[in-house]
Amino acid sequence: MASVEIRHKPHAICIPYSAQGHIAPMLKLAKLLHFNGFHITFVNTKYNHRRHLKSRRPASLDSLSSFRFETIPDGLPSSDANATQDIPTISSSILRNCLEPFKKLLLKLLKDLNAPPVTWIVSDISMIFTWDASKELGIPMVLLWTASASAFLGYTQYRHLIDEGIVPLKGHIAPMLKLAKLLHFNGFHITFVNTKYNHRRLLKSRGPASLDSLSSFRFETIPDGLPSSDANATQDIPTISSSILRNCLEPFKKLLLKLLKDLNAPPVTWIVSDISMIFTWDASKELGIPMVLLWTASASAFLGYTQYRHLIDEGIVPLKGTIRSLS
């Protein structure tokens, strides 16, 4: 059993997204927390843990009893490749397969008498499933957003962009609707798919018959997996993100199959998906429908990316070093 002193240490579970540009910043944060008295459990996928060991040596992660490494599966077939995995594929797999292994690991750590009790989860903001584990097990959580220096530079210009009337570019639905209108103007038949919640909000704001004017521009809905609500506000982002990724794939596939059989409309030739709706990737692959992604980046973030070459030339970025041994 651990000593009384060790048992009273704060214990942080640090879990990065499965890409080097996310792992390195999380590891740096974990080292800072450890330096300031935290017991650390660093959770990698098995794939990235194996890459780490290959780049160092088999015992390189065993030097400190108060800084431990654990692994969870990412849901993909085993591979000996030594490269960042395909981002859409790994993102979809992580969000569908990692919740239960992560909860199982947390329960094991909560019962471990040789380590302090778990007091915090420090999660990459992209690992949405950790939100469910945190709520279910009652463990406080903080999120790490590994924004690049160029994006941060862009956000410092946000006040100027607002003053000039360039932003805000509202959310995700409005840009997608603008793109759909442009495609329709150029001859496309459009099926615009909203969640039932957002479709209801749209009808409230425009009138019950406002979306029925064009047979070649149709609206369809899928459930978002949350309880029905008459609220007229943007839903809680972590909650709706988690629910959509867990619950929307099957309704979306069912809708696509219905549209593919619809003799009163052209065959479905493309899916244009918001980059955050990762489940559409699985539907696209399963049904063989080509897909393009829309990234609704803000003007400030875009401005940041235009400065990236300057930041590289000045040696400010990339902030993406290799994972270093703790020894």
Side-chain angles (χ1 to χ4, degrees):
M1 182 179 292
S3 68
V4 173
E5 181 183 352
I6 291 175
R7 293 287 295 172
H8 281 83
K9 272 189 168 187
H11 183 174
I13 309 296
C14 298
I15 178 165
Y17 176 74
S18 186
Q20 187 65 21
H22 294 250
I23 295 169
M26 181 66 81
L27 190 55
K28 288 177 182 178
L29 175 59
K31 289 178 180 179
L32 286 171
L33 292 172
H34 183 261
F35 180 78
N36 283 277
F38 276 72
H39 181 100
I40 298 295
T41 300
F42 197 90
V43 183
N44 251 328
T45 62
K46 290 182 178 180
Y47 177 88
N48 282 307
H49 188 70
R50 189 163 55 246
R51 288 184 69 200
H52 191 162
L53 289 175
K54 277 184 179 179
S55 70
R56 297 296 167 183
R57 59 185 188 279
S60 62
L61 307 182
D62 301 334
S63 55
L64 291 172
S65 61
S66 57
F67 200 122
R68 300 178 179 180
F69 287 81
E70 294 281 355
T71 65
I72 56 174
D74 58 22
L76 295 178
S78 181
S79 168
D80 289 327
N82 190 27
T84 298
Q85 293 154 293
D86 177 70
I87 297 301
T89 302
I90 187 60
S91 296
S92 176
S93 184
I94 280 173
L95 292 166
R96 286 186 287 109
N97 297 301
C98 284
L99 174 59
E100 292 306 318
F102 185 59
K103 285 197 300 184
K104 185 176 179 181
L105 173 61
L106 289 175
L107 289 170
K108 182 187 86 169
L109 294 172
L110 287 167
K111 295 174 184 176
D112 186 356
L113 299 180
N114 294 312
V118 176
T119 46
W120 289 95
I121 298 170
V122 183
S123 172
D124 191 290
I125 199 168
S126 301
M127 303 293 268
I128 298 172
F129 66 88
T130 58
W131 180 265
D132 294 316
S134 166
K135 287 197 294 183
E136 186 171 329
L137 299 178
I139 304 172
M141 185 168 77
V142 293
L143 298 173
L144 174 64
W145 180 45
T146 57
S148 64
S150 60
F152 179 78
L153 179 64
Y155 292 123
T156 65
Q157 303 298 316
Y158 203 70
R159 170 49 55 191
H160 172 70
L161 293 167
I162 292 173
D163 292 341
E164 292 295 317
I166 300 170
V167 294
L169 297 174
K170 301 248 169 73
H172 294 248
I173 296 172
M176 182 66 82
L177 193 54
K178 288 178 182 177
L179 174 59
K181 288 178 180 178
L182 286 171
L183 291 173
H184 183 262
F185 180 78
N186 283 277
F188 277 72
H189 181 102
I190 299 294
T191 301
F192 196 90
V193 184
N194 250 330
T195 63
K196 291 182 178 180
Y197 177 88
N198 282 310
H199 188 71
R200 192 162 54 244
R201 288 184 68 199
L202 194 57
L203 289 175
K204 278 183 179 180
S205 67
R206 300 193 178 192
S210 61
L211 308 182
D212 301 334
S213 56
L214 291 171
S215 61
S216 57
F217 199 122
R218 300 178 180 179
F219 288 81
E220 294 281 355
T221 65
I222 56 174
D224 59 21
L226 295 178
S228 181
S229 168
D230 289 327
N232 190 27
T234 299
Q235 293 156 291
D236 177 70
I237 297 302
T239 302
I240 186 61
S241 297
S242 176
S243 183
I244 281 174
L245 292 165
R246 285 186 286 108
N247 298 301
C248 283
L249 175 59
E250 292 306 319
F252 184 60
K253 286 197 299 183
K254 186 177 179 181
L255 173 61
L256 288 175
L257 289 169
K258 182 186 84 168
L259 295 172
L260 287 167
K261 296 174 183 176
D262 186 356
L263 299 180
N264 295 313
V268 177
T269 46
W270 289 94
I271 298 170
V272 183
S273 173
D274 190 291
I275 199 168
S276 301
M277 303 293 268
I278 298 172
F279 65 88
T280 57
W281 180 264
D282 293 316
S284 166
K285 287 198 294 183
E286 186 170 329
L287 299 179
I289 305 173
M291 185 169 76
V292 293
L293 298 173
L294 174 64
W295 180 44
T296 58
S298 65
S300 59
F302 180 78
L303 179 63
Y305 291 122
T306 65
Q307 302 297 317
Y308 203 68
R309 170 50 55 193
H310 172 70
L311 292 168
I312 292 173
D313 292 342
E314 293 294 317
I316 300 170
V317 294
L319 302 175
K320 297 180 175 73
T322 56
I323 301 176
R324 299 188 181 279
S325 171
L326 290 166
S327 57

